[in-house]
Each structure stands twice: as C-alpha cells, then as structure tokens.
Amino acid sequence: MKELYVVAAIIKKDNKILATQRGYGEFEGLWEFPGGKIEEGETKEDALVREIKEELNADIEVEKFALDLEWQYPSFYLYMSCFECVLKGEFELLEHHNAKWLSKDDLDSVEWIQADIAAVDYLKENM
C-alpha cells in the first residue's frame, strides 16, 4: 500500500479559517486545508511554506503544530501533519476552484475531504 506524507495549513484570520476547494484529481470539488507532500530533505514547516507558495502564491508564517492525523483511503495511506498558520498578505487560487473563510459555526457548511475532518474536529474544540 502506498503511503503519503503531507502537511496542511490551518490558516487563521479574524477568527476564521481558510478552506480551499480542490481543483484537480480524485477529490476534485471537495474542501481541504491547503498543503501538500513533503519532499526529501524538507522539514514539515519548510514543506508547508513551499506548498502554500505553489498553491496559493502566498506567504505564511507557521505559528504552531496543531495535530497529526492518519487516514486509510482505498489506494493509499495518508499521514498528515497540520499547523496553525497566519497569511502574510493576499492569496491567489492557482490549483483550487474556490476558497472560503469559515467561522467555527460554518465549518460544517462545506464537504470536507475525509482525512481533513479530524482537523475540523480539532478546530471545533480549539477555536
């Protein structure tokens, strides 16, 4: 079974969290926390900064580790580390269909990718 090691950014602004809608692949149209694969030799934080630059043409400050989660998909096993981050400036959607700033009460208003639901639950307890 293929294993994927990824990072995700829980980007905070004005007591809201940035959710992005995937624009490609198996999970196109579902919502996620932006991020991606860790490349060889990268720290998780470095991978996250690079991925957000690639996906959102944006700079972030990684504030703190939030949680690790694991999820078994039919074709791969996912290991994801999530970090709370702050956006520096604006962002632009390069790989996503849409983005929304969600309050704690709005977190369930989008259809999340299955693995990201553990991070949503974390936010419901910690926002």
Side-chain angles (χ1 to χ4, degrees), residues 29-68:
L30 297 177
W31 292 79
E32 67 180 354
F33 297 100
K37 295 177 190 167
I38 303 166
E39 294 181 357
E40 183 144 351
E42 279 185 317
T43 66
K44 292 177 181 179
E45 293 84 352
D46 288 344
L48 193 52
V49 168
R50 176 187 51 75
E51 283 286 346
I52 298 305
K53 190 67 167 176
E54 290 174 4
E55 291 186 6
L56 299 175
N57 192 27
D59 295 315
I60 57 167
E61 178 181 334
V62 179
E63 286 195 323
K64 69 175 188 173
F65 170 78
L67 74 154
D68 282 328

Side-chain angles (χ1 to χ4, degrees), residues 13-117:
K13 178 181 176 183
D14 299 329
N15 222 21
K16 293 187 176 182
I17 300 297
L18 183 66
T20 53
Q21 186 181 34
R22 282 184 69 95
Y24 61 91
E26 181 179 352
F27 304 109
E28 182 176 359
L30 297 177
W31 292 79
E32 67 180 354
F33 297 100
K37 295 177 190 167
I38 303 166
E39 294 181 357
E40 183 144 351
E42 279 185 317
T43 66
K44 292 177 181 179
E45 293 84 352
D46 288 344
L48 193 52
V49 168
R50 176 187 51 75
E51 283 286 346
I52 298 305
K53 190 67 167 176
E54 290 174 4
E55 291 186 6
L56 299 175
N57 192 27
D59 295 315
I60 57 167
E61 178 181 334
V62 179
E63 286 195 323
K64 69 175 188 173
F65 170 78
L67 74 154
D68 282 328
L69 59 91
E70 298 178 21
W71 190 262
Q72 176 68 62
Y73 285 102
S75 59
F76 64 93
Y77 196 83
L78 181 76
Y79 297 91
M80 185 163 75
S81 295
C82 303
F83 293 84
E84 293 183 23
C85 303
V86 174
L87 186 66
K88 297 178 180 178
E90 300 300 314
F91 69 90
E92 149 184 37
L93 298 177
L94 301 177
E95 298 183 4
H96 295 89
H97 288 314
N98 199 357
K100 292 182 180 182
W101 290 101
L102 301 175
S103 69
K104 181 178 180 177
D105 293 336
D106 295 331
L107 288 171
D108 290 328
S109 68
V110 299
E111 186 178 356
W112 293 96
I113 292 173
Q114 289 176 314
D116 288 41
I117 293 171

